Amino acid sequence: MRMLLIHSDYLEYEVKDKALKNPEPISDEQKRGRLEEVLAVFISVEKVDESNPDKVVEKAVMEIKDVASQVKAERIFVYPFAHLSSELGGPDVALKILREIEEKLKEKGFEVKRAPFGYYKAFKLSCKGHPLAELSRTIVPEEAVSKEERNIALEKEEVLKSYWYILTPEGELIDAEKFDFTGHENLKKFVNYEIHKNRIADKEPPHVRIMLEQELVDYEPGSDGGNLRYYPKGRLIKGLLEQYVTEKVVDYGAMEVETPIMYDFEHPALEKYLNRFPARQYVVKSGDKKFFLRFAACFGQFLIKKDAIISYRNLPLRMYELTRYSFRREKSGELSGLRRLRAFTMPDMHTVARDLKQAMDEFKKQYKLSMEVLRGVGLTPEDYEVAIRFTEDFWNENRDFIVELARIIGKPVLVEMWKQRFFYFILKFEFNFVDNLDKAAALSTVQIDVENAERFGITYYDEEGKEQYPFILHCSPSGAIERVMYAILEKQAKLQAKGIKPSFPLWLSPIQVRVIPVSEDVLDYAFYVAGKLEGARIRADVDDTGDRLNKKIRKAEKEWIPYIIVVGKNEKEQNTVTVRRRSDGKQVETQLEDLIKEIRQQTEGFPYKGRPLPLLLSRRPKFRG
């Protein structure tokens, strides 16, 4: 289904002639219509919609409701409009879908009018012209699989019951309902979230307020929901995280590649993959061909591996891409700041392993790599919960291996066990952050894939020169970069609620040092200090505004500046600086070289980017009113 949504002062139509041999029967009154202050929704029902009309109606109503709430429209005009697509569905199904959309929107409390179906109509429309006044949407049924494949999937889902346990570092496997969560309250929240799977965010999580106040990230009204704009400070943080994770993975031994963001729906391997595991896809057309936007780096990397000549001597073979962007059409009710998006940046590594033993060895190494990556962004095992998922057979055959994973993390973990395998993996872990609304979001993950090598034709040559199918590990050592930012901000919101000053890890702080001159007489010394800091690869700026000293300090505190340097006549004469540390609140007079050494010690080993904003505060724009 294709939809064009226009927020209008009014829309009116007049029926002119039949467009179909048997159009929808209408009365004389229905030959004309008008609504004012209305969201006009022009709709083309497509052939693909016939595979699951109910799902199309559900998703269309959700999208229309979402847009109506954004533009604050209480009236909706449903308008059949065949010109949005060249692959129209049959008229009977199309009319049925349009009628159901009309009725369900009325049930949602909207005043709804629908233009008649199957006629040529003249219409007049007055678009309001604001950033959200003209939007388009593509609705795709989630299941575009054959009846036979769907039946197989349903049969497997009937036996795919999850059994939930808590595994202790001592190796005790306890039914989740019988586990004593005393001292593990965060784990209890995570377990409740996983079992009940309520993904909808009914209110705004605290990190949204922070990302807006700090002028890091904002919603983009000119795009689809879940696509964000990054202001200079936010772009710096995101860029540093991207660089940090990439360097960690390359140091681990991965080869960096780059692959397309769109793929052919009819590619034999991709089509089978999509049909078995349908995702919420963005669909684009080029000529007569239909493509989907990637929701992971798997496709491109698998196709590279398929064409490569791989020897057992090359294994394990690790390949990596930072996908900016991957796309998933998440439900609008699930979109929530940086937590869940429709366009996201995913560090994605895939490892080819010759056998299960090598795959499990890599799995453990990547488990530890993920812990190290999160520690670098300020997230320790106390900040996230672990889920490990596998079949009962895998547990019986590899119990000691699984217990060791719990022992490495040093605390109880959630186990999801299945009687038989349904997914493409036999083993998976995730590190999950539980936020201030008790919602969980997966960060790092690794999976051992036993299906896609054969599906994509990926092989390696063994010692005897025979082709063999390998195991494949999917690894994101951090999870989506945006979600890492979300976890960092949510953690600081938790600390803030406890009366602790929030802060970024020093290497991620957009401005690491704010230099405040007490008067214009020492402005030259403030420039000298800032210059020395920046020469040492430390991001510094100067508050040259006419505000009082106390206000300048409060402003720096509000921006979470880690180090505030106040310089006056005394500091200039003695060539020193007076420093206020955010971390402990202490104020000391020190030599500038000693401060530089202190900061460099804390940021050593992390990537660096220059100051994202002008040196002088007086030269900076305000990005949010």
Side-chain angles (χ1 to χ4, degrees):
M1 175 182 289
R2 304 293 175 120
M3 298 194 300
L4 176 65
L5 303 98
I6 302 180
H7 191 204
S8 309
D9 297 313
Y10 69 88
L11 169 63
E12 63 180 36
Y13 74 88
E14 180 181 355
V15 170
K16 294 295 186 181
D17 201 355
K18 292 181 181 180
L20 297 175
K21 184 177 180 180
N22 295 304
E24 173 186 13
I26 58 172
S27 64
D28 288 341
E29 185 182 353
Q30 290 174 292
K31 291 180 179 179
R32 293 180 178 80
R34 177 184 172 105
L35 270 184
E36 298 182 354
E37 296 299 324
V38 64
L39 177 64
V41 184
F42 294 86
I43 298 177
S44 287
V45 177
E46 298 182 294
K47 193 167 187 61
V48 68
D49 301 332
E50 297 174 357
S51 67
N52 197 339
D54 292 340
K55 179 59 69 175
V56 170
V57 170
E58 176 189 336
K59 294 173 75 174
V61 169
M62 182 179 298
E63 288 289 351
I64 294 168
K65 181 175 177 290
D66 182 43
V67 174
S69 67
Q70 291 184 58
V71 301
K72 296 180 172 54
E74 298 177 354
R75 300 185 183 92
I76 296 172
F77 212 130
V78 177
Y79 200 103
F81 199 68
H83 310 291
L84 296 176
S85 175
S86 60
E87 299 181 359
L88 296 175
D92 292 343
V93 175
L95 180 56
K96 180 176 181 292
I97 287 175
L98 291 166
R99 282 173 170 167
E100 288 187 10
I101 289 174
E102 176 187 10
E103 290 306 312
K104 289 189 180 298
L105 286 171
K106 287 179 179 177
E107 291 172 8
K108 300 288 185 185
F110 293 102
E111 179 183 342
V112 185
K113 182 178 285 290
R114 180 174 59 81
F117 178 81
Y119 296 89
Y120 295 115
K121 300 177 287 291
F123 70 85
K124 293 180 180 178
L125 173 146
S126 174
C127 176
K128 288 185 174 292
H130 57 72
L132 291 178
E134 302 171 61
L135 299 170
S136 62
R137 295 288 187 268
T138 299
I139 306 296
V140 181
E142 289 186 358
E143 293 185 90
V145 299
S146 70
K147 185 176 181 181
E148 180 182 355
E149 287 174 314
R150 188 156 50 244
N151 287 340
I152 291 171
L154 288 172
E155 286 174 11
K156 290 193 174 184
E157 284 178 359
E158 287 177 1
V159 298
L160 187 71
K161 179 181 177 182
S162 291
Y163 296 88
W164 300 96
Y165 302 95
I166 302 299
L167 175 64
T168 70
E170 295 73 35
E172 191 176 3
L173 192 68
I174 305 168
D175 189 298
E177 293 183 359
K178 299 176 181 177
F179 183 74
D180 180 4
F181 286 97
T182 304
H184 302 287
E185 286 72 22
N186 207 49
L187 177 60
K188 184 177 182 180
K189 293 176 182 178
F190 174 53
V191 171
N192 288 337
Y193 177 83
E194 280 294 293
I195 293 175
H196 298 299
K197 298 188 184 298
N198 178 16
R199 304 295 191 246
I200 303 299
D202 51 3
K203 62 179 179 177
E204 194 173 76
H207 82 273
V208 174
R209 169 184 55 81
I210 295 173
M211 77 184 198
L212 297 176
E213 287 178 353
Q214 294 293 322
E215 291 193 334
L216 305 177
V217 190
D218 206 342
Y219 297 111
E220 177 48 76
S223 182
D224 189 23
N227 290 257
L228 304 178
R229 62 167 67 159
Y230 288 79
Y231 298 125
K233 292 195 294 184
R235 178 58 211 146
L236 175 121
I237 292 174
K238 186 168 184 279
L240 285 171
L241 287 168
E242 292 168 351
Q243 186 177 342
Y244 167 70
V245 177
T246 297
E247 288 177 0
K248 283 289 187 183
V249 176
V250 171
D251 287 347
Y252 177 69
M255 299 174 286
E256 191 171 5
V257 298
E258 183 175 328
T259 62
I261 67 166
M262 67 173 69
Y263 294 89
D264 186 352
F265 254 106
E266 297 179 1
H267 185 287
L270 298 178
E271 184 178 33
K272 189 175 179 182
Y273 187 89
L274 290 169
N275 284 347
R276 183 160 181 199
F277 305 104
R280 299 168 181 175
Q281 299 140 9
Y282 275 92
V283 181
V284 296
K285 288 192 69 177
S286 177
D288 294 330
K289 297 200 72 173
K290 189 165 65 170
F291 298 81
F292 68 93
L293 299 183
R294 67 181 175 194
F295 45 86
C298 307
F299 316 109
Q301 291 189 30
F302 287 172
L303 294 175
I304 290 177
K305 290 179 173 69
K306 173 186 179 298
D307 294 337
I309 299 172
I310 304 172
S311 163
Y312 70 94
R313 295 186 182 91
N314 307 135
L315 305 182
L317 187 150
R318 308 175 185 107
M319 197 174 288
Y320 168 80
E321 180 177 6
L322 180 78
T323 65
R324 191 190 305 126
Y325 287 97
S326 292
F327 300 87
R328 280 177 59 93
R329 278 198 51 82
E330 303 285 15
K331 295 177 182 178
S332 57
E334 294 178 353
L335 300 176
S336 181
L338 289 159
R339 175 177 172 265
R340 192 176 289 273
L341 300 169
R342 288 175 172 163
F344 52 93
T345 307
M346 179 66 77
D348 226 336
M349 174 171 66
H350 292 87
T351 304
V352 176
R354 64 179 297 164
D355 51 30
L356 183 58
K357 181 179 182 302
Q358 191 175 72
M360 289 170 63
D361 183 54
E362 277 293 302
F363 187 95
K364 190 191 300 182
K365 290 177 181 176
Q366 293 174 16
Y367 184 85
K368 293 177 179 178
L369 172 67
S370 300
M371 292 175 64
E372 182 182 343
V373 168
L374 292 188
R375 189 174 289 109
V377 302
L379 299 172
T380 66
E382 289 73 31
D383 296 315
Y384 53 84
E385 301 301 332
V386 184
I388 308 176
R389 309 175 198 272
F390 45 78
T391 63
E392 188 174 39
D393 286 345
F394 191 91
W395 167 255
N396 291 334
E397 295 167 10
N398 302 281
R399 181 187 181 109
D400 291 345
F401 179 83
I402 300 297
V403 172
E404 188 175 357
L405 298 178
R407 192 177 298 124
I408 289 169
I409 204 73
K411 64 178 186 177
V413 303
L414 175 64
V415 162
E416 182 177 16
M417 191 184 298
W418 303 293
K419 290 293 184 183
Q420 67 180 60
R421 182 177 64 84
F422 172 70
F423 304 104
Y424 58 84
F425 56 84
I426 56 173
L427 174 65
K428 176 183 181 181
F429 88 80
E430 307 127 26
F431 294 156
N432 295 269
F433 185 85
V434 181
D435 64 22
N436 291 272
L437 301 183
D438 295 343
K439 302 289 184 183
L443 299 172
S444 316
T445 183
V446 179
Q447 308 159 14
I448 298 181
D449 177 346
V450 296
E451 285 189 5
N452 282 307
E454 186 172 354
R455 177 175 290 118
F456 282 81
I458 300 168
T459 62
Y460 74 93
Y461 289 93
D462 65 15
E463 292 90 337
E464 298 177 359
K466 295 179 180 178
E467 283 190 276
Q468 304 288 350
Y469 290 116
F471 288 73
I472 299 176
L473 286 88
H474 303 238
C475 172
S476 182
S478 63
I481 297 296
E482 296 83 356
R483 193 167 280 183
V484 174
M485 295 176 67
Y486 142 86
I488 291 170
L489 297 180
E490 284 286 325
K491 177 179 178 178
Q492 296 311 310
K494 289 183 180 183
L495 295 175
Q496 206 169 20
K498 295 177 182 177
I500 301 171
K501 285 185 178 181
S503 62
F504 297 107
L506 184 56
W507 69 277
L508 282 175
S509 295
I511 300 297
Q512 295 164 319
V513 182
R514 168 74 47 83
V515 184
I516 300 178
V518 298
S519 68
E520 287 190 13
D521 295 340
V522 291
L523 193 56
D524 59 339
Y525 185 60
F527 290 158
Y528 166 78
V529 170
K532 292 284 285 185
L533 290 165
E534 297 229 307
R537 295 168 66 84
I538 295 169
R539 291 183 292 275
D541 62 13
V542 177
D543 189 342
D544 65 328
T545 63
D547 293 333
R548 292 177 178 272
L549 178 60
N550 286 342
K551 185 175 181 180
K552 289 182 178 183
I553 292 173
R554 285 197 303 272
K555 186 164 46 177
E557 292 277 1
K558 191 176 179 181
E559 292 182 46
W560 301 8
I561 305 294
Y563 291 89
I564 302 172
I565 292 179
V566 177
V567 295
K569 185 177 179 182
N570 184 60
E571 285 82 8
K572 181 178 179 180
E573 290 175 351
Q574 298 186 23
N575 199 31
T576 60
V577 290
T578 299
V579 182
R580 181 195 298 252
R581 292 192 194 90
R582 184 173 182 82
S583 59
D584 58 15
K586 292 182 180 178
Q587 182 169 305
V588 296
E589 187 174 346
T590 185
Q591 297 293 317
L592 183 56
E593 288 73 17
D594 292 337
L595 176 62
I596 290 172
K597 184 178 179 181
E598 177 182 327
I599 294 173
R600 291 301 301 272
Q601 284 176 343
Q602 296 179 65
T603 58
E604 186 177 359
F606 291 102
Y608 169 79
K609 287 180 179 290
R611 171 174 30 80
L613 293 163
L615 173 67
L616 302 180
L617 266 64
S618 63
R619 301 288 181 89
R620 294 184 186 173
K622 187 165 178 57
F623 291 100
R624 302 194 78 253

Coordinates of all heavy atoms in Angstrom, one line a residue, residues 79-118:
Y79 N -9.0 8.8 0.8 CA -9.3 9.1 -0.7 C -8.6 8.0 -1.5 O -7.3 8.0 -1.6 CB -8.7 10.5 -1.0 CG -9.2 11.1 -2.2 CD1 -10.2 12.1 -2.2 CD2 -8.8 10.7 -3.5 CE1 -10.7 12.7 -3.3 CE2 -9.3 11.3 -4.6 CZ -10.3 12.3 -4.5 OH -10.8 12.9 -5.7
P80 N -9.3 7.2 -2.2 CA -8.7 6.2 -3.1 C -8.0 6.9 -4.2 O -8.5 7.9 -4.8 CB -9.9 5.4 -3.7 CG -11.1 5.7 -2.7 CD -10.8 7.1 -2.2
F81 N -6.8 6.5 -4.5 CA -5.9 7.3 -5.4 C -5.0 6.3 -6.1 O -3.9 5.9 -5.6 CB -5.1 8.3 -4.7 CG -4.6 9.4 -5.6 CD1 -5.5 10.3 -6.2 CD2 -3.3 9.6 -5.8 CE1 -5.0 11.4 -7.0 CE2 -2.8 10.6 -6.6 CZ -3.7 11.5 -7.2
A82 N -5.4 5.8 -7.3 CA -4.7 4.7 -8.0 C -3.3 5.1 -8.5 O -2.5 4.3 -8.8 CB -5.5 4.1 -9.1
H83 N -3.1 6.4 -8.6 CA -1.9 6.9 -9.3 C -0.6 6.8 -8.5 O 0.5 7.2 -9.0 CB -2.1 8.4 -9.7 CG -3.4 8.6 -10.5 ND1 -3.6 8.0 -11.7 CD2 -4.5 9.1 -10.1 CE1 -4.8 8.3 -12.1 NE2 -5.4 9.0 -11.1
L84 N -0.6 6.3 -7.2 CA 0.6 6.2 -6.4 C 1.3 4.9 -6.7 O 2.5 4.7 -6.2 CB 0.2 6.3 -4.9 CG -0.4 7.6 -4.4 CD1 -0.8 7.4 -3.0 CD2 0.5 8.7 -4.6
S85 N 0.8 4.0 -7.4 CA 1.4 2.7 -7.7 C 1.1 2.1 -9.0 O 0.0 2.4 -9.6 CB 1.0 1.7 -6.6 OG 1.5 0.4 -6.9
S86 N 2.0 1.4 -9.6 CA 1.8 0.7 -10.9 C 1.5 -0.8 -10.6 O 1.3 -1.5 -11.6 CB 3.1 0.8 -11.7 OG 4.2 0.2 -11.1
E87 N 1.4 -1.2 -9.4 CA 1.1 -2.6 -9.1 C -0.2 -2.7 -8.2 O -0.2 -3.1 -7.1 CB 2.3 -3.3 -8.4 CG 3.5 -3.3 -9.2 CD 4.7 -4.0 -8.5 OE1 4.5 -4.4 -7.3 OE2 5.8 -4.1 -9.1
L88 N -1.3 -2.3 -8.8 CA -2.5 -2.2 -8.0 C -3.2 -3.5 -7.7 O -3.1 -4.5 -8.5 CB -3.6 -1.3 -8.8 CG -3.2 0.2 -9.0 CD1 -4.2 0.9 -9.9 CD2 -3.0 0.9 -7.7
G89 N -3.8 -3.6 -6.6 CA -4.5 -4.8 -6.2 C -5.8 -4.9 -6.9 O -6.3 -3.9 -7.5
G90 N -6.5 -6.0 -6.7 CA -7.8 -6.2 -7.3 C -8.8 -5.3 -6.6 O -8.7 -5.0 -5.4
P91 N -9.8 -4.8 -7.4 CA -10.8 -3.8 -6.8 C -11.6 -4.3 -5.6 O -11.9 -3.5 -4.7 CB -11.7 -3.5 -8.0 CG -11.5 -4.6 -9.0 CD -10.1 -5.1 -8.8
D92 N -12.0 -5.6 -5.6 CA -12.8 -6.1 -4.5 C -12.0 -6.0 -3.2 O -12.5 -5.6 -2.2 CB -13.2 -7.6 -4.7 CG -14.2 -7.7 -5.9 OD1 -14.8 -6.6 -6.2 OD2 -14.3 -8.8 -6.4
V93 N -10.7 -6.5 -3.2 CA -9.9 -6.4 -2.0 C -9.6 -5.0 -1.7 O -9.6 -4.6 -0.5 CB -8.6 -7.2 -2.2 CG1 -7.6 -7.0 -1.0 CG2 -8.8 -8.7 -2.5
A94 N -9.3 -4.1 -2.7 CA -9.0 -2.7 -2.4 C -10.1 -2.0 -1.7 O -9.9 -1.3 -0.7 CB -8.7 -2.0 -3.7
L95 N -11.4 -2.3 -2.2 CA -12.5 -1.6 -1.5 C -12.7 -2.1 -0.1 O -13.0 -1.3 0.8 CB -13.8 -1.9 -2.4 CG -15.1 -1.3 -1.8 CD1 -14.9 0.2 -1.7 CD2 -16.2 -1.6 -2.8
K96 N -12.5 -3.4 0.1 CA -12.7 -4.0 1.4 C -11.6 -3.3 2.4 O -12.0 -3.0 3.5 CB -12.4 -5.5 1.3 CG -12.6 -6.2 2.7 CD -12.4 -7.7 2.5 CE -12.6 -8.5 3.8 NZ -11.4 -8.2 4.7
I97 N -10.4 -3.2 1.9 CA -9.4 -2.6 2.8 C -9.7 -1.2 3.1 O -9.6 -0.7 4.2 CB -8.0 -2.7 2.1 CG1 -7.5 -4.2 2.1 CG2 -7.0 -1.8 2.7 CD1 -6.2 -4.4 1.4
L98 N -10.1 -0.4 2.1 CA -10.5 1.0 2.3 C -11.6 1.2 3.3 O -11.6 2.1 4.2 CB -10.8 1.7 1.0 CG -9.6 1.9 0.0 CD1 -10.1 2.2 -1.4 CD2 -8.7 3.0 0.5
R99 N -12.6 0.3 3.2 CA -13.8 0.4 4.1 C -13.3 0.1 5.5 O -13.8 0.7 6.5 CB -14.9 -0.6 3.6 CG -15.7 -0.1 2.4 CD -16.6 -1.2 1.9 NE -17.6 -0.6 1.0 CZ -18.4 -1.4 0.2 NH1 -18.3 -2.7 0.3 NH2 -19.2 -0.8 -0.7
E100 N -12.5 -0.9 5.7 CA -12.0 -1.3 7.0 C -11.2 -0.2 7.6 O -11.2 0.0 8.8 CB -11.3 -2.6 6.9 CG -12.2 -3.8 6.7 CD -11.5 -5.1 6.8 OE1 -10.3 -5.2 7.2 OE2 -12.1 -6.2 6.4
I101 N -10.3 0.4 6.8 CA -9.6 1.6 7.3 C -10.5 2.7 7.8 O -10.3 3.2 8.9 CB -8.6 2.1 6.2 CG1 -7.5 1.1 6.0 CG2 -8.0 3.5 6.6 CD1 -6.6 1.4 4.8
E102 N -11.5 3.0 7.0 CA -12.5 4.0 7.4 C -13.1 3.6 8.8 O -13.2 4.5 9.7 CB -13.6 4.1 6.3 CG -14.7 5.1 6.7 CD -15.8 5.0 5.7 OE1 -15.8 4.1 4.8 OE2 -16.7 5.9 5.7
E103 N -13.6 2.4 8.9 CA -14.3 2.0 10.1 C -13.4 2.0 11.3 O -13.8 2.4 12.4 CB -14.9 0.6 9.9 CG -16.1 0.6 9.0 CD -17.2 1.6 9.3 OE1 -17.6 1.6 10.5 OE2 -17.6 2.3 8.4
K104 N -12.2 1.5 11.2 CA -11.2 1.4 12.3 C -10.8 2.8 12.7 O -10.5 3.0 13.9 CB -10.1 0.5 12.0 CG -10.4 -0.9 11.9 CD -9.2 -1.9 11.8 CE -9.7 -3.3 11.7 NZ -10.4 -3.7 12.9
L105 N -10.7 3.7 11.8 CA -10.3 5.1 12.2 C -11.5 5.8 13.0 O -11.2 6.5 13.9 CB -10.0 5.9 10.9 CG -8.7 5.6 10.3 CD1 -8.6 6.4 8.9 CD2 -7.5 6.1 11.2
K106 N -12.7 5.4 12.6 CA -13.9 5.9 13.3 C -13.8 5.4 14.8 O -14.1 6.1 15.7 CB -15.2 5.6 12.6 CG -15.4 6.4 11.4 CD -16.7 5.9 10.7 CE -17.0 6.7 9.4 NZ -18.2 6.3 8.7
E107 N -13.5 4.1 14.9 CA -13.4 3.5 16.2 C -12.3 4.1 17.1 O -12.4 4.1 18.3 CB -13.1 2.0 16.1 CG -14.2 1.2 15.5 CD -13.8 -0.3 15.2 OE1 -12.6 -0.6 15.6 OE2 -14.6 -1.0 14.5
K108 N -11.3 4.7 16.4 CA -10.3 5.5 17.1 C -10.7 6.8 17.6 O -10.0 7.6 18.2 CB -9.0 5.6 16.3 CG -8.4 4.3 15.9 CD -7.7 3.5 17.0 CE -7.0 2.3 16.5 NZ -6.4 1.5 17.6
G109 N -11.9 7.2 17.2 CA -12.5 8.5 17.6 C -12.3 9.7 16.6 O -12.6 10.8 16.9
F110 N -11.9 9.3 15.4 CA -11.7 10.4 14.4 C -13.0 10.6 13.6 O -13.9 9.7 13.5 CB -10.7 10.0 13.3 CG -9.3 9.9 13.9 CD1 -8.7 8.7 14.2 CD2 -8.5 11.1 14.1 CE1 -7.4 8.7 14.7 CE2 -7.3 11.1 14.6 CZ -6.7 9.9 14.9
E111 N -13.2 11.8 13.1 CA -14.3 12.1 12.2 C -13.8 11.7 10.8 O -12.8 12.3 10.4 CB -14.7 13.6 12.2 CG -15.8 13.9 11.2 CD -16.2 15.4 11.2 OE1 -15.8 16.1 12.2 OE2 -16.8 15.9 10.3
V112 N -14.4 10.8 10.1 CA -13.8 10.2 8.9 C -14.8 10.4 7.7 O -16.0 10.1 7.9 CB -13.5 8.7 9.1 CG1 -12.8 8.2 7.8 CG2 -12.6 8.5 10.3
K113 N -14.3 10.8 6.6 CA -15.1 10.7 5.3 C -14.2 10.0 4.3 O -13.0 10.1 4.3 CB -15.3 12.1 4.8 CG -16.2 12.2 3.5 CD -16.5 13.6 3.1 CE -17.5 14.2 4.0 NZ -18.9 13.6 3.7
R114 N -14.9 9.2 3.5 CA -14.2 8.4 2.5 C -14.8 8.7 1.1 O -16.0 8.7 0.9 CB -14.3 6.9 2.7 CG -13.6 6.1 1.7 CD -13.6 4.6 2.0 NE -14.9 4.1 2.2 CZ -15.7 3.7 1.1 NH1 -15.3 3.8 -0.1 NH2 -16.9 3.2 1.4
A115 N -13.9 9.1 0.2 CA -14.4 9.4 -1.2 C -14.7 8.0 -1.9 O -14.1 7.0 -1.6 CB -13.3 10.1 -2.0
P116 N -15.7 8.0 -2.8 CA -16.2 6.7 -3.4 C -15.1 6.1 -4.2 O -14.2 6.8 -4.8 CB -17.4 7.1 -4.2 CG -17.3 8.6 -4.4 CD -16.5 9.1 -3.2
F117 N -15.1 4.8 -4.3 CA -14.1 4.0 -5.0 C -14.6 3.6 -6.4 O -15.7 3.2 -6.6 CB -13.8 2.7 -4.2 CG -12.8 1.8 -4.8 CD1 -11.5 2.0 -4.7 CD2 -13.3 0.7 -5.5 CE1 -10.5 1.2 -5.2 CE2 -12.3 -0.2 -6.1 CZ -11.0 0.0 -6.0
G118 N -13.7 3.8 -7.4 CA -14.0 3.3 -8.8 C -14.5 4.4 -9.7 O -15.2 4.1 -10.7

